């Protein structure tokens, strides 16, 4: 922000330092190093967080906002003597305790774009608690449908019907940002806590610590019980099987608690851990004028907007500054955040519930839930329960419904969740700035999940029970599937690709290399007929040009043998014969000589006679 907002009338910078935001001009990373820096940041996000981001974003899930504050800028501010309080990647800012003379030096630094007082909080739980209502519940039957003290506050938003169709928050992660949490009550015996952090004392203990007010953890403990408490037969929260991430972000020791910066730090932390949703029962309105409640000015609203853009569903109490108009606080003014007003058990709007519109004319609150005489656990007791008022009670009730709906429809983006809740609420067709879109109707919002069975588990329901899945036995067929060339309407739009009809019934398609979809004997893989002038197997070769039609030629005759070379004739030793090549006496030569000798002897005998 280029300039600081004016201070509220009558406020001054305290001698010990005033909590102040300091905003920087950039992240101090060269353009050529951005990709590497983002990859390093991605490695610090949980896979669950990165998957959620990528489901709703088109940029891989990260951008410059995810880079850390440039250490040189931070150190330059702290070198003035300011004390560090919190850091926000998303806002590219740090909050510090600063005195007037230090603030002037800081604002003159070349990399500082502006400063802003850390906003102060207005409590959202309407005091006092109802008198004489701290009770030990009478044991009930223990049946799932018997909610004990919780029955009416659950039934008004149709949670009982959601439980009856098997929804309890399993597999969903919810972050709760509040004053602190003590978890020794019986209603938290089965609670799953994935992580917890105290942003005030910067440690891992969200319960009371030395120096904390005795009631520090009360508000958060009550809020948590409405979301996720469980003592079957006596008490039920809305989503008793949800897993939680707990952030202690509000210091109640201050007369006017200062924790806007800790809330920003907390929401960034919870988002990076992979929380699917976050709920906070607070509202920052001091330091801000009504015209600032436009969703784009208060720093909590800016941080909430980034969390929503990252796929995280945010729920917040509308505030207890009613009944006047434009009494909504931050971050409830953020666009896309589900701001919750309070009604009593009869559905009538509580007088204290904050009203809209926002400064830019949007309806607020978004929806309502019971926030009068809600039963909560009693902090400091392990078995007692009491009743309290406030939009602080209504917000975790709606957050619980969000958890149940995310269990039913895990891929819902924040905008889709907002639409689902507002389009099914009691005032859906005539929203206003008192009730918003009305009292949440959880069962109606769950839709077909509670009336159909998703046979193939693709999150879409069969057309026969009102869904859009045209083949609920095939996981690959549903309205969001990609249409491929297989003869099936994969995306259930009633249309096939060009050439996907299989006109000849040979299970091959013109869109997938069937070169004649009118002839069942012609398709890839068919046997090539060698004399029909048809490319039967669609390989581009016909008849004798096809390798299947090649005629086998007889093998060539072996080459004639070559007689061995003759050696020179040599007279045989002791005879008149001649040696032939190879050293052997020629048989025919020898026979001829014998014949001549025989004829000569006959001739001599005749002459003698």
């Amino acid at each position: 922000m280029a300039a600081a907002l004016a201070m509220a009338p009558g406020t001054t910078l305290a001698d010990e330092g005033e909590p102040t935001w300091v905003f920087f001009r950039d992240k101090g990373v060269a353009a050529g190093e951005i990709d590497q820096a983002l990859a390093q940041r991605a490695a610090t996000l949980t896979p669950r967080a990165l998957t959620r981001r990528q489901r709703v974003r088109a940029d891989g899930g990260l951008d410059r906002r995810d880079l850390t504050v440039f250490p040189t800028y931070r150190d330059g501010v702290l070198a003035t003597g300011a004390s560090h309080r919190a850091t926000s990647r998303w806002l590219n800012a740090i909050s510090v305790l600063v005195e007037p003379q230090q603030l002037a030096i800081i604002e003159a630094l070349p990399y500082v774009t502006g400063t802003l007082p850390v906003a102060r909080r207005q409590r959202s739980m309407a005091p006092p608690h109802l008198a004489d209502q701290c009770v030990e519940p009478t044991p009930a039957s223990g049946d799932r449908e018997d909610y004990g003290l919780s029955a009416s506050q659950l039934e008004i938003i149709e949670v009982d019907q959601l439980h009856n169709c098997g929804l309890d928050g399993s597999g969903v992660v919810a972050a709760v940002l509040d004053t602190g949490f003590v978890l020794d009550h019986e209603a938290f015996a089965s609670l799953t806590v994935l992580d917890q952090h105290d942003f005030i004392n910067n440690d891992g203990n969200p319960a009371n610590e030395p120096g904390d007010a005795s009631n520090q953890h009360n508000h958060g403990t009550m809020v948590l019980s409405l979301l996720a408490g469980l003592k079957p037969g006596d008490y039920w929260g809305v989503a008793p099987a949800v897993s939680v991430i707990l952030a202690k972000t509000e210091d109640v020791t201050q007369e006017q608690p200062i924790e806007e910066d800790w809330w920003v730090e907390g929401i960034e932390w919870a988002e990076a851990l992979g929380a699917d949703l976050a709920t906070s029962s607070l509202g920052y309105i001091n330091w801000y004028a009504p015209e600032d409640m436009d969703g784009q000015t208060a720093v909590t609203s800016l941080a909430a907007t980034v969390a929503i853009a990252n796929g995280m569903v945010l729920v917040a109490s509308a505030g207890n500054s009613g009944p006047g108009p434009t009494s909504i606080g931050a971050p409830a003014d953020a666009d896309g955040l589900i701001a919750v007003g309070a009604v009593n058990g009869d559905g009538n709007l509580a007088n204290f519930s904050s009203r809209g519109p926002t400064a830019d004319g949007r309806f607020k609150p978004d929806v309502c839930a019971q926030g009068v005489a809600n039963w909560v656990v009693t902090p400091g007791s392990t078995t007692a329960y009491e009743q309290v008022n406030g939009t602080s009670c209504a917000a975790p009730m709606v957050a619980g419904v969000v958890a149940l709906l995310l269990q039913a429809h895990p891929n819902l983006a924040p905008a889709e969740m907002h639409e689902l809740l507002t389009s099914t609420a009691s005032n859906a067709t005539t929203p206003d700035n008192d009730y918003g879109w009305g009292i949440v109707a959880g069962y109606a919002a769950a839709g077909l999940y509670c009336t159909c069975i998703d046979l193939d588990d693709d999150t879409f329901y069969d057309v026969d029970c009102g869904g859009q899945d045209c083949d609920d036995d095939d996981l690959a067929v549903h309205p969001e599937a990609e249409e491929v060339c297989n003869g099936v309407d994969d995306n259930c739009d009633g249309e096939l690709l060009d050439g996907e009809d299989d006109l000849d019934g040979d299970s091959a398609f013109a869109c997938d290399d069937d070169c004649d979809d009118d002839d069942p004997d012609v398709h890839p893989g068919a046997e090539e007929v060698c004399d029909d002038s048809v490319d039967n197997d669609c390989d581009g070769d016909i008849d004798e040009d096809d390798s299947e039609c090649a005629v086998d030629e007889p093998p060539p005759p072996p080459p004639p043998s070559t007689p061995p070379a003759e050696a020179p004739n040599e007279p045989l030793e002791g005879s008149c014969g001649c040696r032939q090549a190879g050293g052997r006496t020629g048989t025919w030569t020898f026979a001829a000589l014998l014949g001549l000798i025989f004829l000569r002897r006959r001739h001599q005998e005749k002459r003698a006679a």
Side-chain angles (χ1 to χ4, degrees), residues 528 530 539-550:
E528 183 72 19
C530 299
D539 66 353
D541 295 321
I542 299 175
D543 293 349
E544 65 275 6
D545 293 330
D546 195 295
S547 60
E548 294 186 28
C549 296

Side-chain angles (χ1 to χ4, degrees), residues 98 145 159 171 202 207-208 217 283 315 328 335 358 417 430 450 535:
V98 62
E145 293 79 9
V159 169
N202 194 28
N208 281 3
H217 54 210
V315 180
I328 206 85
D335 192 13
T358 62
M417 180 64 72
T430 55
C450 290
D535 182 12

Side-chain angles (χ1 to χ4, degrees), residues 504 506-509 512-516 519-529 534-541 546-548:
D504 54 13
D506 59 3
S507 300
F509 309 98
D512 189 28
D513 298 330
D514 189 341
C515 52
D516 187 347
D519 188 338
D521 295 324
V522 176
H523 55 80
E527 182 178 357
E528 183 72 19
V529 179
V534 174
D535 182 12
N536 307 88
D537 56 6
C538 297
D539 66 353
D541 295 321
D546 195 295
S547 60
E548 294 186 28

Side-chain angles (χ1 to χ4, degrees), residues 42-55 272-274:
T44 69
L45 299 175
T46 64
R48 187 185 188 98
L50 194 56
T51 298
R52 168 177 35 73
R53 286 179 173 213
Q54 291 172 341
R55 191 170 60 240
L273 286 175

